[in-house]
Amino acid sequence: EPEVTQTPSHQVTQMGQEVILRCVPISNHLYFYWYRQILGQKVEFLVSFYNNEISEKSEIFDDQFSVERPDGSNFTLKIRSTKLEDSAMYFCASSEGYEKLFFGSGTQLSVL
Amino acid sequence: DQQVKQNSPSLSVQEGRISILNCDYTNSMFDYFLWYKKYPAEGPTFLISISSIKDKNEDGRFTVFLNKSAKHLSLHIVPSQPGDSAVYFCAASDKAAGNKLTFGGGTRVLVKP
């Protein structure tokens, strides 16, 4: 069964450093998303991406965050200058349309 | 953000019995609801969904019921199996506003053999 792939599975970084989280969505999907889950909290929406542009973003997704689909297969989330509170599990997801989302296994980001 | 709420953080059930998970929502614009299952160190896995034009959807051992007037949905798992032990998330979306999912806090289910 096709799946969403995320790399790395774990990322440790120093506060203030830039990180790039990578995702390969399911190949025929058109919609791409990033969600995150801070330990002990709900899974929360960050951003959705369609037709090479952001279609929706949450208030969490400020100027420190950016997304890109650089080559037609990868979908990346960049955090420009990480803060302690960015520590979370980040999930990439994709969907064919406006229905079920398929999630990757996540990247555990730890900001020290 | 309390738009989607799962009031039971955990549930323990005997193998073979029914598991009933509940979810309440406040946003009347939500028109599509999903249940996801999550194992540790994995991403959420889609289980079953229901559109607001229906009140029931069934897929094998999983049935989702929607009560729009009460803004309540439930997931029934019959019969429960040890492999069903996981965290279950309810999620909702307003399709007219995009495909953003709003998640509940999750219910941890333990199925005892």
Side-chain angles (χ1 to χ4, degrees), chain A:
Chain A
E1 188 176 314
E3 58 180 24
V4 175
T5 307
Q6 288 186 245
T7 55
S9 55
H10 292 84
Q11 175 87 52
V12 181
T13 190
Q14 294 291 324
M15 191 169 57
Q17 295 296 303
E18 174 184 287
V19 293
I20 297 176
L21 309 184
R22 300 179 194 279
C23 170
V24 178
I26 294 173
S27 60
N28 63 330
H29 285 185
L30 301 175
Y31 298 82
F32 314 110
Y33 315 83
W34 285 99
Y35 284 76
R36 78 175 186 188
Q37 186 178 27
I38 295 171
L39 187 65
Q41 297 186 22
K42 292 184 177 184
V43 176
E44 52 189 356
F45 169 78
L46 291 178
V47 65
S48 59
F49 191 87
Y50 171 73
N51 202 24
N52 282 319
E53 59 183 26
I54 290 173
S55 45
E56 194 173 356
K57 60 183 181 179
S58 71
E59 57 273 11
I60 303 166
F61 194 88
D62 62 21
D63 292 344
Q64 295 298 316
F65 291 86
S66 63
V67 289
E68 199 176 34
R69 188 155 161 80
D71 56 13
S73 61
N74 290 284
F75 180 52
T76 61
L77 174 69
K78 183 193 292 187
I79 309 175
R80 192 147 42 102
S81 177
T82 49
K83 306 193 250 313
L84 295 175
E85 55 265 36
D86 294 329
S87 295
M89 179 71 90
Y90 287 80
F91 294 108
C92 174
S94 68
S95 66
E96 240 179 305
Y98 269 25
E99 293 188 354
K100 62 187 182 190
L101 275 61
F102 291 82
F103 285 82
S105 295
T107 294
Q108 179 64 58
L109 176 64
S110 299
V111 182
L112 306 179

Side-chain angles (χ1 to χ4, degrees), chain B residues 14-19 60-62 77-82 84 111:
Chain B
Q14 208 64 37
E15 181 179 4
R17 305 296 291 269
I18 184 171
S19 296
R61 295 186 298 115
F62 304 93
I77 308 173
V78 183
S80 300
Q81 299 172 353
D84 296 331
V111 181

Side-chain angles (χ1 to χ4, degrees), chain A residues 99-100, chain B residues 19 21 31-35 46-67 72-78 95:
Chain A
E99 293 188 354
K100 62 187 182 190
Chain B
S19 296
L21 291 82
D31 55 6
Y32 190 63
F33 304 90
L34 309 91
W35 284 94
F46 171 79
L47 266 181
I48 192 168
S49 62
I50 188 167
S51 164
S52 60
I53 61 172
K54 294 186 172 182
D55 54 20
K56 178 182 174 181
N57 188 26
E58 195 171 348
D59 183 1
R61 295 186 298 115
F62 304 93
T63 303
V64 56
F65 296 91
L66 175 63
N67 182 334
H72 177 84
L73 63 154
S74 62
L75 174 69
H76 292 205
I77 308 173
V78 183
K95 285 190 182 179

